[in-house]
Amino acid sequence: MTVTTSDDTAPAVAHFRFFELEVVRTRRLGHSFLRVTFGGESLADFRSGGFDQSLSLFLPPADQEHTVLPSTDEDTWFAAWRGMPDEERPVMRSYTVREQRRTPEGAVEVDIDFVLHGDASPASRWAGRAVAGRRILAIGPAVAENKSVRFQPPAATDAIWMYADETALPAAASILDRLAAGTRVRAWFEVPHEDDRIAPDTLADADITWIVREGHGRERTEQVLSVLRSAEPPAAEVPYVWLAGEAGTVRAVRRHFVQERSVDRRAVRFTGYWRLGASEEQLLAEAYAGKAPSEDPASEL
């Protein structure tokens, strides 16, 4: 939902291309979430792979209504974008495709859910002011099978265990939307406020525990681990674990499953969407420098 700290420093445009997205409408979801629905003629070629499909948005500076880039050419866009003056450069952020659909009139729409926290970040500021007609650019999938769909459970998986904080909740909800009926899921979702508990529609046999930070004095990672340690996931021979959210908490949760529950580390897919105490610009700078943690399940996060 926000910055993904992975080793994918610049989106490749082999299976991806630029799209112009136009705001169609917005809808508030709970205390912290805003859904922005995008349309646009170019979305006719958009091919979301579903689950936790991500795309990169280019959000204009606060004094501009629409995104402008000096190049959208596959070979030159990144250098041209990086070379723009700071005050003119659109902010690039990774978000999840919450849903893609075709309207009765035949147009394609894409929903993206934003976490709102005032003007604390460029993305929250932009989303909070989004109105119909505003246009932004995005790099998104041109083919459904692409590396930005990270949820890839092996065929033999007999249970799915999930952890997500609010930044990853849209991805988790999108995964649950697409799971087959009867799929066994044990999920822990961390949110800031009681009315952020937005239960996803799913045919899966899903047992969801909500971890609400509001009113609790515990440090967030400590609170999450306390809930996890008191839980008993269903027995599984081949579990698949999907974790996403604040990087420090994700690291701790991954250690919990690997060290305390003896889950094969290769069966754990983890992504740090953001890091407490670091700005989104710092995370991007680390990614460009190759310092961001790997998403490879075998790596030592």
Side-chain angles (χ1 to χ4, degrees):
M1 200 169 164
T2 49
V3 174
T4 299
T5 56
S6 72
D7 53 1
D8 298 333
T9 59
V13 195
H15 293 141
F16 299 81
R17 51 158 287 190
F18 276 93
F19 295 87
E20 184 176 69
L21 310 181
E22 181 172 331
V23 177
V24 175
R25 59 186 172 274
T26 65
R27 181 162 67 96
R28 193 66 180 256
L29 307 173
H31 185 281
S32 303
F33 295 96
L34 179 78
R35 176 164 296 167
V36 179
T37 298
F38 294 96
E41 293 183 3
S42 67
L43 285 176
D45 297 321
F46 192 86
R47 299 287 185 271
S48 172
F51 297 105
D52 56 350
Q53 173 76 67
S54 66
L55 78 169
S56 294
L57 304 180
F58 293 83
L59 305 172
D63 61 346
Q64 297 180 20
E65 287 196 5
H66 311 303
T67 300
V68 176
L69 289 177
S71 172
T72 56
D73 179 79
E74 176 180 346
D75 297 320
T76 63
W77 77 264
F78 186 71
W81 171 74
R82 288 286 288 163
M84 296 178 72
D86 290 348
E87 66 276 9
E88 298 177 12
R89 185 187 307 116
V91 171
M92 182 170 67
R93 295 290 184 265
S94 294
Y95 273 81
T96 299
V97 178
R98 181 62 184 85
E99 184 180 346
Q100 178 184 354
R101 63 184 166 275
R102 190 171 294 276
T103 70
E105 296 74 26
V108 176
E109 292 184 343
V110 168
D111 292 337
I112 297 177
D113 291 351
F114 292 79
V115 177
L116 296 182
H117 35 266
D119 291 344
S121 75
S124 176
R125 182 177 62 241
W126 179 87
R129 293 165 171 75
V131 295
R134 294 247 171 114
R135 297 188 303 276
I136 63 173
L137 291 175
I139 291 181
V143 295
E145 294 187 10
N146 61 80
K147 66 179 181 178
S148 289
V149 178
R150 298 176 180 86
F151 181 80
Q152 301 283 351
T157 299
D158 59 354
I160 293 169
W161 300 341
M162 307 174 72
Y163 160 78
D165 70 7
E166 64 269 26
T167 65
L169 187 57
S174 184
I175 289 169
L176 288 170
D177 282 351
R178 290 161 174 77
L179 291 178
T183 303
R184 293 190 305 148
V185 179
R186 186 70 170 91
W188 293 266
F189 295 152
E190 178 194 358
V191 291
H193 305 283
E194 287 285 347
D195 64 354
D196 290 327
R197 299 185 301 172
I198 305 170
D201 293 328
T202 182
L203 297 175
D205 179 11
D207 182 2
I208 299 173
T209 295
W210 292 94
I211 305 170
V212 180
R213 293 197 300 275
E214 186 177 44
H216 292 271
R218 288 183 179 178
E219 188 268 335
R220 61 184 301 157
T221 301
E222 178 187 351
Q223 183 185 4
V224 170
L225 289 176
S226 176
V227 173
L228 285 170
R229 286 172 175 143
S230 66
E232 189 57 46
E237 293 294 326
V238 190
Y240 179 78
V241 182
W242 181 91
L243 314 172
E246 194 279 319
T249 303
V250 166
R251 278 196 297 269
V253 172
R254 180 175 184 256
R255 283 195 296 269
H256 166 76
F257 280 108
V258 172
Q259 297 178 8
E260 299 181 35
R261 295 193 181 271
S262 300
V263 175
D264 186 335
R265 67 176 62 248
R266 293 170 296 182
V268 181
R269 187 65 166 178
F270 59 93
T271 311
Y273 278 19
W274 64 288
R275 191 174 72 227
L276 195 64
S279 72
E280 293 168 298
E281 268 57 46
Q282 286 175 306
L283 294 178
L284 283 171
E286 290 179 9
Y288 301 144
K291 296 178 181 179
S294 170
E295 288 178 316
D296 188 311
S299 79
E300 297 288 347
L301 183 64

